[in-house]
Amino acid sequence: MDEKEKLASATSSGESLSKRLYRWLDRRAEVNKLMEESLDEPIPGGARFAYVFGSGLLFIFISQIITGICLAIYYVPSAETAHTSVAYITKKVAAGDFLRSLHYYGSSAMIIVLLLHFLQTFLYGSFKGRRELLWMSGATLSLLVLGMGFTGYLLPWDQRAYFATAVGTNIVGEVPLIGGWLTKLMRGGDTIGTLTLSRFYVAHVFLIPACIFAFISIHIYLFRKAGAAGPMHENPVHPTLPPEGFYPRQVLMDMAFALLLMVGLGFLAYFHPIGLGPIANPANTHYLPRPEWYYLPFFEWLKLWEGPKAVIAVVVTPALLAALFFLLPFLDRSLERRPWRRPIPVLAVGIVLVGIFFLGIRSRIDDEDDPTVAAQLARQAEQERAYTKAPFRPYIESPGATGPLALPTGPVNPLVSQGRGVFQSEGCSGCHGDTGMGTMVAPSLEGITTKFSGPQLTALLHNPNAAMRAGHMPSFDISNSDMSALLAYLGVIGTAAANVQPTSGEIAQAPVAASQAAPAAAGLPQAAAPAPKQLSAQAAAGSQIFQQHACSACHGPAGQGAVAPALAPLIAHLSGPQLTQLLQHPNAKMKAGGMPPFAGTAGQLDSLIAFLRTLKPPAQQAQQQPQPQQSAAMAFASENGGVPYPEEGSAPAPSAVTNGVRSASPTLPGGAVSSSRAVAAASPASAPSPGRALFLSQGCSACHGPSAQGTRFAPSLIGISKKFPGDKLPYLLRHPTRAMRGGGMPTVALNDQQLKQLVAYLSTLTPASARAPAAQSSPAVGTANMQPSAAPPAPSNTAAPAPARPAPLSPLAKRGERIFESMNCETCHGVGGLTGTVAAPPLAGTASLLPANVLENLLRHHSKRMQEGGMPLTNLNPQDMKSLIAYIRSMPSSSTAK
């Protein structure tokens, strides 16, 4: 009977269509035989719940593949767009946060089930009886699973991912002989950037999964070849217990376990979705990296080893444990499977597991016991939660870019415009940034109205909580109409609707800004706000520009002086063109004090100058309380080795004229005039100690700050002598740890006497002795002016400006100059990149001579010397990179400071 006759017979007998199709497929593909081979596997002793972990691992891996494919549809592996694409998945894609959380928790579940599978196999002795290759293939799969976790950790490109990966790749660099080559291979260069991200992405999505698929096939083949070992009292070579088929009981148990995993992962992903932190900022040296929980024991283990001994922790111990792990079937060769009859292998594995759990728990305890570390980790977690809750912002330009803001698409809301005026007039922009998107001083306010209701925000602004007060957040006493306008502006921060022209009322009556709270608390001079007066339209516009550019953060809300000198005495003798020149191109002292160039139109500059001309000297503002102001100024001068702000009745010092611009005595930054009373304040008692002189001359202030209070490049040194008493601190300075060297800390090359003086100075540092500089983004700011002198310097007839440029900058180079300043490159390379510092050489005459393509390659892929010098990642889009290169190449071919 041919096939047609069989089909006709089956049709006549009433057989269903599905059965007929299955019969047709079975004749061609032998489906029945394949199912029998898969499901009729004999299990000595019958099915057991202890055997479900292998099938559970396979189920989780398939789940990871499915969720990974869904995420890869939206993911863009680039340093500029990776973080934005992950944010888009989390905040915009339907069920995107659920899928991402499912993928994240699936990786942790895979590690847990893998450990349970290992313990079950080891305790049951299932690796015995000609199953050596089966065990070794499973050990290889374990390492591949750990590799999947490591390579996938970088892909979100947030702060946590970046710094944890930096630590991991630095650890690989400790391998003798080939460590540097391995690190460069993993990173695609000397720094972590787009090449690192693309390599990790390829390894995570293609290479490692392909290897896992291959070894799963090998593992299943070897398992079916050797057969199930059965319970621990069964003979592993010649089983004697009656077998039971894999189907149906073991299949049902495996399916129940898979369902349990699915429900657990779904519950976690839905009710506790994984967060996303701010985009990776390589220049943030305050961030404390912590790896994922399954790498935490190794992270803690590395803390116990320093210097040359680190090779024991990085290479010797892991290699020894891996060798024992792979060779376990050859070390435990007897056919005895019961664990109580194998005390030595069981005890050895128990010691290793207890040690792993102990190190992981100890790492957590160490973080909680250190108040500074705990506070920083809590702050990082809060920043991550805040960014996760913030609305999605599409990628426009890279961090630090200076491109124009998107204008509102609809009609401008007058209330929002008024609210932005209040935001700027009250000094909020001095800490939270001009657009409220956050700075290194204060967090972003984007999405703040979704976190707090209107009444809650009003209450917080009137009475800040403890955390806000610790960040020097003042209380605001403004009218109800201003508060309503401010809340309206806060509600649109981060959107195009917020980019409106500010309108505000009486700027001169604004209370002290947040950026001035710290000086006020320290007893620094604060002049009384001038009485309200009517300004011209041009001066009123200039007052808004003054607040918008956060000039009040340093010069005070009415320009009366705060952490920077008062403006009225400085500009009294300057003509309009001279003042315009200084605002657009600050001199070296102004730049050293953190003064940025004014970037605005000619009309805005004229309005600003018109407002500056209306300012009164602080002496006239402080007539009601002259004595307290004078004493505070004198205290400020004697503490910092400088001269206080001009007082009433002070005589101007002899001035010099350079390039047609009148400048004051070099005693004061920015050209401030000094008084005879102020000069008397610089007494011999304020002369620097030899240790402080060494601290400044060795360039320590470039990273640790002028008063060793710490910057974003290096931590505070206050209290360092208590942490490293006796001979520990001198030894540490001459033998920096690996972490210190990784941060750019050089070996302190001083003789014994000088080192003793430096340590003596560091021992005198207390929280009360350190006053944070105004521009903390530039650690080296004002180091020259922080050195008090026994007598006032003699007036000089010549100034010492930075090397002049031979020609005006092109528009592209001007844009690059703004980028150069916004990224704080001057902190290491000197003012304008022309002079250099102890931290880095000048760019004029060196980098400026390189071709554009070579310079771009160096900026994107740092050399080993740049990396060792602490050069952060230059993460810019092509247009910003082109502008920055144009600025560097516009520098003169030779520098007087070379």
Side-chain angles (χ1 to χ4, degrees), residues 491-504:
V492 298
I493 284 179
T495 66
N499 302 327
V500 296
Q501 290 296 328
T503 58
S504 58

Side-chain angles (χ1 to χ4, degrees), residues 91 121 197 221 225 236 385 401 450 469 479 521 541 545 587 602 621 653 682 695 751 768:
K91 301 178 180 183
T121 304
L197 196 59
Y221 169 78
K225 184 72 175 177
R385 286 192 293 268
T450 62
R469 291 195 302 270
S479 64
I545 295 173
N587 59 33
Q621 302 175 10
F695 180 83
N751 58 39

Side-chain angles (χ1 to χ4, degrees), residues 127-162:
F127 57 88
K128 295 175 177 289
R130 303 170 186 171
R131 292 177 175 84
E132 298 87 353
L133 292 178
L134 177 62
W135 173 268
M136 296 175 70
S137 65
T140 305
L141 282 171
S142 303
L143 297 182
L144 290 173
V145 169
L146 291 175
M148 283 286 287
F150 179 70
T151 54
Y153 202 67
L154 178 66
L155 301 187
W157 198 250
D158 58 359
Q159 293 277 70
R160 180 172 58 171
Y162 178 88

Side-chain angles (χ1 to χ4, degrees), residues 439-700:
T439 65
M440 294 295 292
V441 181
S444 171
L445 298 176
E446 183 180 12
I448 190 69
T449 54
T450 62
K451 186 176 181 180
F452 300 100
S453 63
Q456 289 175 329
L457 268 180
T458 302
L460 279 176
L461 291 172
H462 285 310
N463 299 290
N465 58 32
M468 297 164 67
R469 291 195 302 270
H472 305 299
M473 173 76 176
S475 59
F476 288 90
D477 185 15
I478 57 179
S479 64
N480 292 334
S481 59
D482 284 348
M483 181 64 74
S484 299
L486 179 60
L487 294 181
Y489 175 69
L490 294 177
V492 298
I493 284 179
T495 66
N499 302 327
V500 296
Q501 290 296 328
T503 58
S504 58
E506 297 173 347
I507 306 300
Q509 290 182 330
V512 178
S515 57
Q516 294 173 262
L524 301 184
Q526 284 184 311
K533 64 177 182 179
Q534 296 294 330
L535 301 178
S536 65
Q538 188 179 32
S543 68
Q544 294 183 9
I545 295 173
F546 183 83
Q547 301 295 334
Q548 179 180 357
H549 285 73
C551 308
S552 61
C554 295
H555 293 285
Q560 78 277 8
V563 291
L567 291 172
L570 296 181
I571 66 174
H573 303 288
L574 295 179
S575 64
Q578 291 173 340
L579 185 54
T580 300
Q581 174 69 16
L582 275 179
L583 289 173
Q584 290 182 331
H585 304 285
N587 59 33
K589 289 185 178 181
M590 295 165 68
K591 286 187 175 182
M595 173 73 178
F598 179 79
T601 63
Q604 291 174 330
L605 186 60
D606 292 339
S607 299
L608 178 61
I609 292 176
F611 169 70
L612 296 180
R613 295 296 188 191
T614 66
L615 299 178
K616 293 181 179 181
Q620 299 181 18
Q621 302 175 10
Q623 286 180 354
Q624 297 178 355
Q625 298 177 350
Q627 294 302 324
Q629 297 294 334
Q630 292 172 1
S631 61
M634 298 295 289
F636 174 74
S638 62
E639 178 187 350
N640 294 282
V643 181
Y645 310 128
E647 303 177 81
E648 184 179 10
S650 63
S655 59
V657 178
T658 304
N659 297 331
V661 180
R662 181 180 297 274
S663 61
S665 169
T667 304
L668 289 180
V673 293
S674 63
S675 66
S676 58
R677 293 178 62 189
V679 170
S683 63
S686 63
S689 65
R692 175 163 177 78
L694 289 169
F695 180 83
L696 297 173
S697 64
Q698 293 296 312
C700 309

Side-chain angles (χ1 to χ4, degrees), residues 295-306 309-318 321 355 359-360 362-363 738:
Y295 282 118
L296 206 57
F298 187 62
F299 176 77
E300 182 68 18
W301 171 251
L302 293 174
K303 295 180 184 178
L304 306 177
W305 307 87
E306 290 289 351
K309 296 180 180 179
V311 68
I312 299 177
V314 176
V315 179
V316 177
T317 304
L321 290 178
L359 290 173
R362 177 178 173 177
S363 180
R738 178 168 51 84

